[in-house]
Amino acid sequence: TQLLEQSPQFLSIQEGENLTVYCNSSSVFSSLQWYRQEPGEGPVLLVTVVTGGEVKKLKRLTFQFGDARKDSSLHITAAQPGDTGLYLCAGGGSWGKLQFGAGTQVVVTP
Amino acid sequence: DSGVTQTPKHLITATGQRVTLRCSPRSGDLSVYWYQQSLDQGLQFLIQYYNGEERAKGNILERFSAQQFPDLHSELNLSSLELGDSALYFCASSVATGTGNTIYFGEGSWLTVV
């Protein structure tokens, strides 16, 4: 059973457009992580959010952690083809025993 | 390159067989994790070892076992394989365990059971 629900499952946009990916849960998490996975590779950590209401920026990527620490969002501004990939959110108390969402496949076309 | 090395990259085997997947963690990392990724189940945590000892267990079948050796490399053994075991198996490592440690994933081992 997936404790983390991601939406949408698939997103296809043109280069230069903005997009938002959501990660929701009925459970409270001490922290949430966002990963990006490209074909043939393992997930790569993008960011960790730990405080309710926290906002973190990584270049064109903005991550938010909900006040109640049950949800998070990832917003990409002016998407580029290099942003194409599977975006995964993960939560959990112990870093190793992470619960992953099913992921959002993002495709950015030139 | 995450520094985590997994072998083999691809493996095709028949039902009922047994395979061993190998993982070398990043230099200096004491914690090793195994994950299974499939289309229907997503990325699932299987098991974690820290400095040779089992630390946490997830959705790992009884037909599967793992160990971490004194040199810190790890092996995941999959036996009595079934078609449904076909998946991408990831190894990951971190310096320690607990809050604050970044986990680095290897490129995975593709297992196809026919």
Side-chain angles (χ1 to χ4, degrees):
Chain A
T1 303
Q2 293 282 1
L3 298 180
L4 287 164
E5 294 188 357
Q6 289 189 239
S7 62
Q9 290 184 325
F10 182 81
L11 199 54
S12 180
I13 60 171
Q14 295 286 325
E15 182 176 3
E17 294 181 339
N18 302 331
L19 69 98
T20 302
V21 175
Y22 300 93
C23 176
N24 296 294
S25 174
S26 57
S27 305
V28 175
F29 286 96
S30 58
S31 64
L32 271 177
Q33 297 183 318
W34 284 93
Y35 291 79
R36 181 170 64 213
Q37 183 179 12
E38 298 183 28
E41 299 181 9
V44 176
L45 179 65
L46 296 174
V47 78
T48 301
V49 285
V50 296
T51 305
E54 181 177 4
V55 177
K56 277 192 175 179
K57 290 193 174 184
L58 185 65
K59 297 183 181 178
R60 293 176 294 99
L61 278 60
T62 301
F63 304 86
Q64 260 189 309
F65 199 14
D67 291 340
R69 290 185 288 129
K70 291 183 179 181
D71 56 89
S72 182
S73 64
L74 157 60
H75 182 79
I76 301 179
T77 304
Q80 299 176 0
D83 296 326
T84 293
L86 179 67
Y87 289 83
L88 296 157
C89 67
S94 165
W95 288 120
K97 200 172 180 178
L98 291 171
Q99 296 283 348
F100 278 86
T104 294
Q105 181 63 52
V106 172
V107 176
V108 183
T109 53
Chain B
D1 182 6
S2 67
V4 178
T5 303
Q6 291 187 244
T7 57
K9 291 197 184 308
H10 297 90
L11 189 57
I12 301 175
T13 190
T15 54
Q17 295 298 305
R18 171 191 171 96
V19 299
T20 297
L21 309 180
R22 195 178 189 278
C23 170
S24 293
R26 292 188 328 145
S27 177
D29 284 1
L30 299 178
S31 240
V32 169
Y33 315 83
W34 286 98
Y35 282 83
Q36 178 194 58
Q37 187 174 39
S38 60
L39 285 175
D40 56 343
Q41 294 290 326
L43 198 57
Q44 299 281 323
F45 170 74
L46 295 179
I47 198 164
Q48 177 200 358
Y49 281 82
Y50 177 75
N51 204 20
E53 294 188 1
E54 183 184 305
R55 183 58 65 96
K57 229 172 184 178
N59 303 320
I60 187 166
L61 299 172
E62 285 190 7
R63 299 184 285 108
F64 297 178
S65 65
Q67 54 184 328
Q68 185 180 26
F69 295 87
D71 67 352
L72 301 178
H73 91 270
S74 178
E75 292 181 354
L76 179 66
N77 300 296
L78 315 174
S79 62
S80 302
L81 285 167
E82 302 174 0
L83 296 178
D85 297 327
S86 295
L88 187 53
Y89 291 85
F90 284 109
C91 172
S93 73
S94 65
V95 171
T97 185
T99 302
N101 288 287
T102 299
I103 297 175
Y104 296 89
F105 283 80
E107 294 185 347
S109 291
W110 275 102
L111 173 65
T112 302
V113 182
V114 297

